[in-house]
Amino acid sequence: MTMMFALAIAVLFAAGCYLLLKPDFVKILGGIILISNAAILFIMAAGLSRGREAIYPIEPGQRVSDPLVQSMALTAIVISFGVSALMIGMIYRVYMAHRSIDVELISDIEEREVQIEEEERLDQSIDAMPDREETVADPAAEREPQAVAT
Amino acid sequence: MNIALPIAIPWVAGILLALMDGRRRRPGRFAIVALVATMAAASNLAWEVYQNGPVEMVTGGWAPGVGITLRADMLGLTFALLSLGVLLAALTFEVLSGVRTSSFPALVLFLATGLTGVFMTADAFNFYVFFEITMIAAYVLTSYGEDGRQLRSATIFAVVNLLGSAFFLVGIASLYHVTGRLDMVGIARRVDIFEPEAVMLAGLLIFIAFSVKLGIFPFHFWLPAVYTGTRPAVAAILSGAVANIGSYGLLRFFGQILPEQLKLGAPIFLVLGLASIIYGSVQAISRRSVNEVLAYSSIGQVGFILIALAIGGEQGFAAAVLFAIVNSVNKTLLFLSENLRGWLSGFVFAVGALSVAGVPPVGGFLGKAGLFKIAVAEEDWVIVSLIIVGSALSFVYMFQAYQRRYWAPDPEGSEPHAPSPSSVRALVCAIAVLTIFIGVWPEPALWISEQAAMTFGALP
């Protein structure tokens, strides 16, 4: 039984890790869900025991299965469910903002945005510098064409 | 009943605030009042604990040993008050400069609920539950601002930390498998029976989980993207309050529950701590934007906490607590002052920078001096020299950042920045004054950290 648990956890965890490394937010989410389920299965493997349910009254001499493990697993399931729902919401917001869930594409877009911002800042400072020179150079530049015209 | 109040007040207030529009004035003020009330309840509890020793309560009226226990001791309360203070500062900052989304105040209060719960529970699994409550609020908070960039950094943050949570859960389950207990005192007592190697793997998993939270060297990769992507108030919350879970968790689990494993693993703590300091500092020096410098500086600063833990003993733990306090205050101050404009804003940033560098008389000096003292007492000259190198490097990068930010002329033609509202500047100035105050009159902070570290000696 322990072997089966170990195998199941290993397969779930490995599949989760594989998905986690994909450059796609939905696959990453799938990976997270698989990994948290592997953790939940680990809780079960760590202390699940055979016996009847631990509900009062219990006849003396009867084996009772460990209720703590079950309640821990249930709590962890609820938490991972809630977190998965939240993650789906967040990924949807990312999709709405970028129209894409491809991690690489999004980081490309962001890098470009940062570049454009920096270029704009540079442009502004370059624009600002000749402005002053122009105020000095302008009269001459204006006079010259006049000279040609006359 | 007293012990449940610091968890119940922010929880109820958070639910009420979730129904209101947080962008308006009144809900913001209500949130501030609720946080102040939480802090008052926690301080009241701390006074009680100081006089009569740790307070315990079994939830749901169960017999002790059956139900989940809440336990308030000086260590937990120190971290609770510290984190609540950081949250209060960040919330006030955001309310004064204008809240952007309706859920912000409610989320801060839910975060406060989770944090006080984490710091006041005596049950390992309950610790995980509160930890998740905190993290869920933190995931949503990271996306605050609702820019594409913030959303993406929030998603990275969530994915990495969920992986950390899964590791933590497996660690708790294996502790339960070995000891058959979930209450921290019970686990600590039973772990003593076995050879230390028996729970080494559980210890390793828990260490990884908290290292991810703190952003220690090989687990830091998520941190720069998240800290630079979020807004200043959220970055202050993440590095000043949420990261406390990491330092508190390491102290609680390795100081109290697994002390033998800490002794065995001390070289790992030491090597990773030193690697964090060097890596964080070198990266911070090479970065240009203030945001990135601060993010990498956080990786460097948490290394010092690991070193204090590796040295261990009551003095080592006291130094770790002291450093965690000082580091939280520093990071809150720096992240909040980073976008500040106008009169005194340069002064405030300089105080934070001096504090990170560890220059007297600012607070940061105290944390570094405490660490220096125990390292010298241990006569471990490698650690001593690396602490000096680390401090020198932090001095270099903080002043590079300061220079770029305040001495470089603004690019010509760019709009002159409007000064920040004076109330915001007054708030950040108050934090700066507090930082100086900690350095000038160090007795209170030293006393608090010693009291917190004494918790370990007084355990049943």
Side-chain angles (χ1 to χ4, degrees):
Chain A
M1 199 58 194
T2 313
M3 196 60 209
M4 290 303 289
F5 265 125
L7 266 178
I9 294 167
V11 169
L12 272 180
F13 200 88
C17 283
Y18 175 74
L19 283 176
L20 206 59
L21 297 173
K22 291 270 171 184
D24 179 326
F25 272 126
V26 172
K27 283 183 186 151
I28 290 175
L29 172 70
I32 284 291
I33 292 174
L34 284 185
I35 287 175
S36 44
N37 276 299
I40 293 164
L41 208 56
F42 188 93
I43 301 178
M44 306 279 270
L48 200 64
S49 57
R50 257 176 212 287
R52 56 160 292 185
E53 68 277 21
I55 297 174
Y56 207 67
I58 298 161
E59 287 153 32
Q62 213 162 22
R63 273 183 71 94
V64 175
S65 84
D66 188 351
L68 218 51
V69 179
Q70 298 169 31
S71 61
M72 276 201 288
L74 266 179
T75 315
I77 288 171
V78 171
I79 290 176
S80 87
F81 174 73
V83 171
S84 309
L86 179 70
M87 287 287 293
I88 292 173
M90 275 163 68
I91 290 170
Y92 179 67
R93 296 300 300 272
V94 171
Y95 174 73
M96 291 305 279
H98 292 293
R99 288 283 153 194
S100 163
I101 46 163
D102 189 312
V103 178
E104 280 165 12
L105 197 72
I106 292 171
S107 62
D108 276 357
I109 294 172
E110 265 168 24
E111 263 171 36
R112 219 174 301 143
E113 273 171 6
V114 171
Q115 261 181 8
I116 290 170
E117 259 173 42
E118 268 172 18
E119 270 166 21
E120 272 174 4
R121 214 176 294 150
L122 259 176
D123 282 352
Q124 272 182 350
S125 52
I126 290 168
D127 282 353
M129 273 193 292
D131 254 56
R132 275 193 191 160
E133 284 163 18
E134 269 166 33
T135 49
V136 184
D138 263 354
E142 269 173 6
R143 236 172 273 148
E144 255 175 73
Q146 276 177 358
V148 173
T150 50
Chain B
M1 194 53 225
N2 242 339
I3 185 168
L5 273 182
I7 303 174
I9 296 173
W11 182 54
V12 172
I15 292 173
L16 288 177
L17 276 167
L19 305 172
M20 295 185 226
D21 183 359
R23 280 168 295 190
R24 298 215 185 134
R25 275 231 117 111
R26 216 171 283 164
R29 282 192 196 141
F30 173 65
I32 293 173
V33 169
L35 260 188
V36 170
T38 315
M39 279 187 87
S43 313
N44 181 32
L45 195 61
W47 176 243
E48 216 173 287
V49 169
Y50 172 61
Q51 285 189 315
N52 310 324
V55 181
E56 273 193 0
M57 189 186 89
V58 183
T59 52
W62 292 90
V66 179
I68 293 166
T69 331
L70 293 178
R71 187 169 198 275
D73 54 24
M74 281 315 257
L75 178 71
L77 284 170
T78 305
F79 274 96
L81 281 168
L82 173 67
S83 309
L84 286 172
V86 172
L87 288 182
L88 183 63
L91 178 68
T92 317
F93 178 87
E94 206 55 31
V95 167
L96 288 178
S97 42
V99 180
R100 287 161 181 245
T101 54
S102 57
S103 57
F104 182 80
L107 284 169
V108 172
L109 282 167
F110 284 131
L111 197 72
T113 314
L115 280 171
T116 42
V118 162
F119 298 140
M120 290 194 346
T121 181
D123 185 281
F125 190 75
N126 196 25
F127 188 102
Y128 166 75
V129 174
F130 275 121
F131 175 95
E132 281 296 312
I133 292 176
T134 317
M135 290 325 290
I136 291 174
Y139 301 147
V140 187
L141 266 183
T142 318
S143 68
Y144 173 62
E146 312 244 318
D147 233 358
R149 192 152 174 227
Q150 274 125 17
L151 280 167
R152 194 175 79 100
S153 62
T155 319
I156 297 172
F157 181 60
V159 168
V160 176
N161 279 289
L162 282 175
L163 201 60
S165 305
F167 278 17
F168 186 61
L169 193 58
V170 172
I172 299 274
S174 36
L175 274 184
Y176 178 71
H177 178 66
V178 176
T179 61
R181 296 295 290 262
L182 280 177
D183 56 311
M184 292 178 179
V185 177
I187 295 175
R189 217 178 279 151
R190 288 208 185 166
V191 158
D192 265 359
I193 305 169
F194 306 103
E195 293 285 308
E197 287 82 6
V199 280
M200 210 54 200
L201 192 63
L204 181 68
L205 286 167
I206 291 170
F207 175 72
I208 291 175
F210 290 131
S211 301
V212 168
K213 206 107 301 169
L214 268 176
I216 289 162
F217 167 55
F219 313 105
H220 66 278
F221 43 87
W222 60 271
L223 193 141
V226 173
Y227 280 18
T228 53
T230 56
R231 300 192 46 75
V234 177
I237 288 176
L238 289 181
S239 65
V242 177
N244 280 342
I245 297 180
S247 26
Y248 171 80
L250 286 177
L251 273 164
R252 180 64 85 195
F253 274 85
F254 290 96
Q256 180 189 344
I257 302 177
L258 308 167
E260 290 301 314
Q261 285 69 24
L262 176 62
K263 274 182 203 145
L264 277 176
I268 302 177
F269 276 69
L270 208 57
V271 169
L272 290 186
L274 293 175
S276 285
I277 295 175
I278 302 296
Y279 173 85
S281 311
V282 171
Q283 284 279 3
I285 289 176
S286 68
R287 299 292 148 158
R288 291 197 68 83
S289 83
V290 179
N291 244 333
E292 278 181 281
V293 171
L294 288 181
Y296 281 102
S297 133
S298 322
I299 298 175
Q301 297 296 311
V302 290
F304 289 105
I305 296 175
L306 272 200
I307 290 181
L309 275 168
I311 293 172
E314 204 161 281
Q315 284 189 323
F317 294 146
V321 174
L322 184 61
F323 200 89
I325 296 174
V326 171
N327 189 35
S328 280
V329 178
N330 282 349
K331 283 286 135 60
T332 313
L333 175 62
L334 280 172
F335 275 115
L336 291 186
S337 69
E338 144 202 61
N339 281 339
L340 217 57
R341 299 279 169 176
W343 194 61
L344 276 182
S345 63
F347 157 74
V348 166
F349 190 86
V351 168
L354 285 170
S355 191
V356 168
V359 178
V362 190
F365 169 68
L366 202 61
K368 296 251 166 84
L371 203 59
F372 193 74
K373 209 169 73 188
I374 52 167
V376 170
E378 289 279 311
E379 300 198 334
D380 200 330
W381 301 113
V382 180
I383 302 182
V384 173
S385 51
L386 276 164
I387 292 173
I388 297 173
V389 171
S391 307
L393 287 175
S394 47
F395 189 79
V396 172
Y397 65 69
M398 280 325 296
F399 274 84
Q400 268 187 338
Y402 180 76
Q403 228 174 347
R404 281 203 200 102
R405 175 79 170 67
Y406 294 100
W407 287 359
D410 280 343
E412 285 190 49
S414 62
E415 301 272 311
H417 294 276
S420 317
S422 52
S423 52
V424 175
R425 269 183 285 154
L427 171 75
V428 184
C429 270
I431 306 172
V433 170
L434 177 74
T435 317
I436 298 175
F437 179 75
I438 293 175
V440 174
W441 191 39
E443 276 82 6
L446 285 172
W447 180 81
I448 289 171
S449 63
E450 272 162 25
Q451 288 290 325
M454 262 158 55
T455 315
F456 297 116
L459 278 173

